[in-house]
Amino acid sequence: MKCPACSREMKQIFLTVACDYCDFGIPKERLHRGFVVYRGPDTSGATEEYVFRTLIDAQRWQTVAGREDNQIYEVFSLNPFRWHLSRGTLRDVVLADHMVEIFPDHRYQPLPNRAFLGKKVGAGVPPFDEFPSSSAPY
């Protein structure tokens, strides 16, 4: 039997069935991370957005695109993002080579160029692993 959300094979547990992925999630260590300036979900529950390699790149694009009213979120994907340098008017921004379909949670059919939302990145405070290494105590 296939999971109705992600189309993966479900496992029989006594009198019921469960999807390992949808019901129990996946360890963050197996996911690939990026950042997105998120408009909100479309009518289908997903929306296509640019995914950026760093929070700073997402903030730069957010300013230039005039989308300061949109929030920046972490996004996670089972498949690695293929990064490249921007070729448009905003130079030296690293982003995914294709638009990525963003889902509100991890319960979606796993296909290329799909990701799900993580936490919202707060008012200019980068995630813990984005602080510069010069702040080390030694």
Side-chain angles (χ1 to χ4, degrees):
M1 178 176 192
K2 298 256 185 204
C3 174
C6 71
S7 299
R8 289 182 171 90
E9 200 63 38
M10 296 180 79
K11 293 184 179 176
Q12 182 79 34
I13 302 174
F14 298 108
L15 299 175
T16 187
V17 291
C19 173
D20 282 339
Y21 184 76
C22 291
D23 295 333
F24 305 111
I26 189 165
K28 269 194 170 181
E29 295 81 32
R30 294 187 50 206
L31 298 173
H32 302 274
R33 184 179 74 166
F35 295 89
V36 65
V37 180
Y38 190 60
R39 288 181 291 211
D42 198 352
T43 55
S44 66
T47 183
E48 283 196 339
E49 299 282 1
Y50 292 110
V51 174
F52 301 93
R53 188 174 199 171
T54 67
L55 174 61
I56 293 168
D57 286 341
Q59 289 170 333
R60 287 183 59 211
W61 185 84
Q62 180 185 34
T63 302
V64 169
R67 289 179 49 184
E68 287 87 4
D69 54 332
N70 298 133
Q71 298 293 323
I72 297 176
Y73 286 82
E74 286 182 304
V75 291
F76 296 99
S77 175
L78 289 171
N79 301 316
F81 297 109
R82 291 181 300 219
W83 304 113
H84 73 91
L85 277 172
S86 60
R87 296 181 292 268
T89 55
L90 182 61
R91 298 285 183 190
D92 300 325
V93 170
V94 180
L95 67 156
D97 65 347
H98 286 91
M99 296 279 286
V100 176
E101 196 171 1
I102 307 296
F103 290 84
D105 63 25
H106 69 282
R107 294 175 183 95
Y108 61 89
Q109 188 175 7
L111 294 172
N113 300 317
R114 287 186 165 186
F116 64 93
L117 289 176
K119 66 180 179 179
K120 184 183 342 180
V121 179
V125 178
F128 69 93
D129 57 342
E130 294 250 330
F131 283 108
S133 58
S134 61
S135 63
Y138 49 95

